[in-house]
Amino acid sequence: MRFENWEKWISAIAKLGAVGSILFFALELQQNNKQLEAQARYTQLEIQSYDANRVVFNNTDLAAILLKDRNQKPLSELENFILRRYNTQFIRNWEFEFMEKQRGLLDSNLSTARWAQNLMRNPSRLDVWHATSAIWQGPFRLALNTALENESLN
């Protein structure tokens, strides 16, 4: 009789151990999946950022457009289009960084206040922000608009 009780206890413990192992394995898979998704998104951002930087460094026309804009010289329609696309990608990089930080997948020193200051110093980028604000993800849009409001009060 005593031996049967021990068998039951050992069997129950073994079953609990098996269930615990399965749960642990499922948790590990979920965490691994989140990490892989974050890496894929970050790789995509790196590619986009590299492309944006490569375009500026390898394209003297874009560099000239950026300088003309900084010096507030008039831009042609084509130059405005190019500058708008560049600024949109610039903001998209911020959005990526913000959303990854919100998901807890990116340890970053992001600062919406710093981004708001950047927008305030760069009228063409600020125009792009206002013209395209509907396309940005809600939490990012709210955070940056709040930072812009705070910046305008200072």
Side-chain angles (χ1 to χ4, degrees):
M1 191 79 160
R2 221 170 190 324
F3 183 70
E4 289 176 6
N5 282 339
W6 277 105
E7 270 186 12
K8 288 179 184 176
W9 277 105
I10 291 172
S11 176
I13 291 170
K15 288 176 184 175
L16 283 174
V19 169
S21 295
I22 291 170
L23 290 175
F24 178 76
F25 181 68
L27 180 64
E28 286 292 316
L29 283 176
Q30 182 183 17
Q31 289 176 343
N32 189 39
N33 189 39
K34 285 182 179 180
Q35 187 63 31
L36 288 173
E37 288 175 5
Q39 286 175 339
R41 286 191 300 270
Y42 187 72
T43 299
Q44 180 182 7
L45 174 71
E46 282 184 323
I47 291 168
Q48 291 171 345
S49 296
Y50 173 76
D51 286 346
N53 287 331
R54 183 180 48 124
V55 166
V56 172
F57 296 129
N58 293 336
N59 187 337
T60 56
D61 292 338
L62 179 57
I65 292 169
L66 292 171
L67 285 174
K68 281 174 79 172
D69 181 58
R70 177 180 285 169
N71 295 323
Q72 299 179 338
K73 293 184 178 177
L75 299 173
S76 71
E77 188 174 339
L78 177 61
E79 290 171 331
N80 271 316
F81 173 78
I82 292 169
L83 182 62
R84 196 171 172 77
R85 295 282 299 174
Y86 176 79
N87 283 330
T88 301
Q89 183 58 50
F90 205 90
I91 296 169
R92 186 168 309 284
N93 291 350
W94 289 347
E95 179 189 41
F96 169 83
E97 187 177 348
F98 180 87
M99 295 309 295
E100 290 301 286
K101 175 107 173 156
Q102 291 290 102
R103 291 180 182 108
L105 300 173
L106 185 64
D107 185 20
S108 166
N109 63 351
L110 71 85
S111 167
T112 53
R114 189 178 70 238
W115 294 339
Q117 291 168 1
N118 182 297
L119 289 173
M120 298 296 275
R121 285 190 314 267
N122 190 324
S124 63
R125 192 167 292 146
L126 183 61
D127 289 344
V128 168
W129 170 254
H130 289 305
T132 61
S133 66
I135 70 169
W136 308 114
Q137 294 186 49
F140 172 68
R141 183 175 53 243
L142 177 63
L144 194 49
N145 279 335
T146 301
L148 280 168
E149 287 173 20
N150 292 339
E151 188 63 28
S152 67
L153 294 175
N154 292 336

